[in-house]
Amino acid sequence: MNQNTTEPVAATETLAEVPEHVLRGLPEEVRLFPSAVDKTRIGVWATKPILKGKKFGPFVGDKKKRSQVKNNVYMWEVYYPNLGWMCIDATDPEKGNWLRYVNWACSGEEQNLFPLEINRAIYYKTLKPIAPGEELLVWYNGEDNPEIAAAIEEERASARSKRSSPKSRKATASAWRPDALHQRPRTSPGSIGRSKLRLQPSSRDHSSKSRHSGCSLTAPEVTWNQ
């Protein structure tokens, strides 16, 4: 690291600062503890076995233009046909949910979650089984990863099946309103993994110094619930 380079010191997150609504929204399989990959952040840890293919979400935050975002660590960018690129920004913990505290993997080998876009909302899905005592870590490999590509296609097939079911067609017909013909939808129905998720290199690039500093998967000293 260049010793002449001055970087701002990140404030260390504490469990005491986590909003109550985030704690109430935690799934039973996970808890919040200090992260092992970034000592300044809270992380999400499994306390019970989590099966491969488990889906969490959606990621919650304020919808903003990129120019309005001051911190790109806690956000995703999603493409809306009528709005362009918009950020789902959870920098403010009060605006986000527990997925805000899922940290970025230091390498593809450490990754156990991947992001999945469904109808312009971001979900995290488990790429492999996660054992108690493991930190949940996400990375976006795109559809170049065969396992992720297969999972995305599975979601697309599921969405197509739901839309073609008699119950779905009946619900669509009963919800029809004449004035809806003049309204432009904000999302395209059934869009799975097509938002062209945009990553910010400063926080999501494996080569970034900030992603490699202090990377360690040593679990904190806690007692995992059995």
Side-chain angles (χ1 to χ4, degrees):
M1 179 180 294
N2 186 349
Q3 298 299 324
N4 296 324
T5 300
T6 302
E7 295 184 1
V9 178
T12 300
E13 295 180 331
T14 66
L15 291 171
E17 298 171 336
V18 177
E20 284 294 327
H21 78 272
V22 171
L23 297 174
R24 290 195 301 268
L26 283 169
E28 63 177 359
E29 306 98 326
V30 301
R31 291 294 182 271
L32 300 183
F33 296 106
S35 174
V37 297
D38 190 326
K39 301 302 182 182
T40 67
R41 299 185 195 170
I42 298 298
V44 180
W45 295 81
T47 56
K48 296 181 179 181
I50 303 176
L51 299 177
K52 176 181 178 180
K54 175 77 173 182
K55 187 165 58 183
F56 299 108
F59 185 92
V60 174
D62 279 339
K63 187 185 294 183
K64 302 177 179 178
K65 286 290 187 180
R66 183 66 184 87
S67 59
Q68 298 174 303
V69 177
K70 298 180 180 180
N71 187 333
N72 62 8
V73 173
Y74 302 103
M75 67 131 198
W76 285 100
E77 284 189 89
V78 179
Y79 186 79
Y80 292 80
N82 60 326
L83 296 175
W85 287 102
M86 297 293 292
C87 298
I88 309 301
D89 180 24
T91 300
D92 181 354
E94 295 290 345
K95 304 295 185 181
N97 60 359
W98 69 273
L99 289 178
R100 173 195 187 276
Y101 296 94
V102 174
N103 288 303
W104 299 101
C106 294
S107 68
E109 289 71 27
E110 293 176 356
Q111 172 189 11
N112 50 32
L113 297 175
F114 68 94
L116 181 67
E117 185 272 332
I118 303 177
N119 290 335
R120 312 304 171 190
I122 304 300
Y123 293 80
Y124 289 174
K125 193 168 185 177
T126 56
L127 187 59
K128 53 190 174 185
I130 303 175
E134 292 184 15
E135 184 172 1
L136 277 63
L137 299 170
V138 69
W139 188 258
Y140 180 66
N141 303 75
E143 296 185 44
D144 293 334
N145 182 307
E147 285 191 85
I148 293 179
I152 291 175
E153 183 53 41
E154 180 182 348
E155 291 288 345
R156 289 173 179 165
S158 175
R160 288 193 296 267
S161 176
K162 290 178 181 178
R163 291 199 306 275
S164 62
S165 68
K167 183 177 181 180
S168 175
R169 290 197 296 268
K170 183 178 179 180
T172 301
S174 63
W176 181 84
R177 305 189 319 273
D179 61 336
L181 294 176
H182 303 288
Q183 296 177 345
R184 186 177 183 182
R186 285 184 173 269
T187 62
S188 54
S191 174
I192 304 293
R194 296 172 184 168
S195 67
K196 301 178 182 178
L197 299 177
R198 180 182 290 179
L199 305 179
Q200 298 303 312
S202 61
S203 62
R204 297 169 184 171
D205 184 354
H206 288 313
S207 64
S208 171
K209 294 177 183 177
S210 63
R211 296 305 307 151
H212 282 284
S213 58
C215 280
S216 167
L217 286 184
T218 302
E221 295 182 2
V222 295
T223 300
W224 309 108
N225 297 327
Q226 300 297 323

